[in-house]
Amino acid sequence: MSDDAFERVLAYVESEMGFATSHYNDSYLDRRVTSRMRRTDTPSYEAYLELLREDPDEREALLGALSINVTGFFRNPDVWAGIREVMRDLSAANESVHVWSAACADGREPYSLSMLAHDDPEIDETSVHVLATDISEPALETARSGVYEESRTVDLRDQLAFLDDPERYVERDDRRYHVSRAVRRNVTFERHDLINDEPRAGFDLVICRNLFIYIDADYKRSMLDTISQSLLPGGYLVIGKAETIPPETGSEFEIHDSRLRIYRRDPDARRRRR
Ligand SMILES: C[S@@+](CC[C@H](N)C(=O)[O-])C[C@H]1O[C@@H](n2cnc3c(N)ncnc32)[C@H](O)[C@@H]1O
């Protein structure tokens, strides 16, 4: 009975609120819905569906809860130490290095990459081109502005501690951090939906972290296909530390560093033109 009502909540969210619940796994959706039910003191899925129908504010609050936009500068610093090594190798071997930060949220991931390139003497920052994409326009708007606000829950100074001298890359005015023009120059933002849009081409490295965990297994496969077609043979892929590549797609990738979840596309795979 209540499973049925949960399905009806999801159907309503998909058809009336325009959020593609079918792309996400049920346990993730259930966690978000039940957290809104607790907040609104709603005893059952049936009652919550009624609330959604009646209350536009609750529809908005649920959409906010469903958009998974948690991110940060240099999230998981140990992974960034691994990315630094990959970037050094790519920079040494290529005149230009093309990186795709896919599902980049508010831009702190691609800016971390650009900061790293500027900071590390073994990476030629003038050769680094970062494409940063996300499905969410509001996230991209913040990303393009390059302005981030410190709050009770967001400690930007701590996030930037990966760098010896973060002040070279951000200007601080009170609680706001402005990413420098030089760092922003290496990054281009575009909207891209990893499930429905076409692959890109010609990337040496794709960073796609902390999206797969929310995605239903079928869509996860098609996202990985999109990424693998976008990578050059021998190109690198970094996924989130809590994520895995399903075995059936695993054959396209070999493990470069299993702990840090860094993979390489099969060097003998066919090259796709940019
Ligand atoms: C948890 S954030 C990850 C941000 C960053 N990669 C990180 O690890 O810090 C997940 C992002 O995936 C985006 N997203 C959700 N569905 C997507 C899709 N189908 N295609 C592209 N991005 C998507 C969300 O808008 C959100 O910004």
Side-chain angles (χ1 to χ4, degrees):
M1 173 64 197
S2 89
D3 266 8
D4 198 41
F6 176 61
E7 289 302 324
R8 278 188 284 123
V9 170
L10 297 189
Y12 180 84
V13 173
E14 178 128 9
S15 65
E16 304 300 319
M17 293 164 53
F19 183 92
T21 52
S22 50
H23 293 166
Y24 296 86
N25 66 52
D26 278 357
S27 67
Y28 165 71
L29 294 166
D30 197 18
R31 280 199 306 277
R32 307 322 300 163
V33 170
T34 31
S35 106
R36 286 305 311 159
M37 286 167 60
R38 269 197 307 276
R39 283 284 191 96
T40 53
D41 234 346
T42 313
S44 65
Y45 293 122
E46 283 90 345
Y48 189 64
L49 182 55
E50 258 333 285
L51 180 64
L52 282 179
R53 288 202 168 104
E54 283 164 11
D55 185 352
D57 288 347
E58 183 52 32
R59 292 200 289 273
E60 201 173 310
L62 178 61
L63 280 180
L66 284 168
S67 3
I68 339 130
N69 48 17
V70 178
T71 189
F73 289 107
F74 299 101
R75 190 173 182 184
N76 303 116
D78 54 339
V79 176
W80 282 92
I83 294 174
R84 181 200 293 278
E85 293 306 320
V86 168
M87 287 296 289
R88 284 178 174 173
D89 288 350
L90 288 172
S91 183
N94 299 284
E95 269 181 22
S96 60
V97 178
H98 293 269
V99 186
W100 182 13
S101 166
C104 68
D106 68 12
R108 281 178 272 172
E109 179 180 275
Y111 286 138
S112 300
L113 198 74
S114 177
M115 287 175 190
L116 175 67
H118 282 264
D119 203 54
D120 192 303
E122 290 183 42
I123 304 170
D124 173 9
E125 76 275 11
T126 62
S127 71
V128 174
H129 307 272
V130 183
L131 173 68
T133 63
D134 200 276
I135 197 172
S136 158
E137 279 296 353
L140 289 168
E141 208 174 299
T142 307
R144 288 190 183 99
S145 78
V147 181
Y148 302 93
E149 197 133 349
E150 188 119 79
S151 71
R152 208 160 34 83
T153 51
V154 179
D155 186 341
L156 294 172
R157 185 197 290 265
D158 188 49
Q159 291 178 13
L160 289 164
F162 183 83
L163 300 166
D164 289 335
D165 187 7
E167 249 88 294
R168 286 176 60 193
Y169 310 109
V170 285
E171 261 171 48
R172 195 169 160 187
D173 95 58
D174 195 18
R175 298 168 78 81
R176 287 190 163 180
Y177 288 60
H178 300 249
V179 175
S180 76
R181 196 185 291 262
V183 168
R184 285 164 55 192
R185 244 195 311 264
N186 296 67
V187 186
T188 308
F189 291 99
E190 281 176 30
R191 187 182 178 280
H192 183 275
D193 174 348
L194 280 161
I195 293 171
N196 295 303
D197 290 344
E198 290 295 308
R200 299 301 176 90
F203 287 100
D204 301 288
L205 164 64
V206 175
I207 300 180
C208 184
R209 302 171 65 203
N210 304 303
L211 171 58
F212 292 117
I213 28 171
Y214 306 106
I215 295 287
D216 184 78
D218 293 345
Y219 293 99
K220 195 165 154 178
R221 270 214 58 161
S222 81
M223 279 173 50
L224 274 162
D225 285 347
T226 301
I227 289 170
S228 121
Q229 289 175 46
S230 307
L231 271 171
L232 290 168
Y236 294 85
L237 166 64
V238 184
I239 62 175
K241 261 191 114 175
E243 297 172 325
T244 51
I245 290 194
E248 66 274 20
T249 326
S251 58
E252 271 275 323
F253 293 100
E254 50 193 51
I255 293 174
H256 177 71
D257 186 317
S258 59
R259 190 177 60 86
L260 302 181
R261 302 288 197 273
I262 304 179
Y263 296 80
R264 275 192 98 164
R265 187 177 177 215
D266 179 356
D268 299 323
R270 272 191 44 223
R271 191 186 181 90
R272 225 171 146 261
R273 285 159 61 90
R274 190 195 301 273

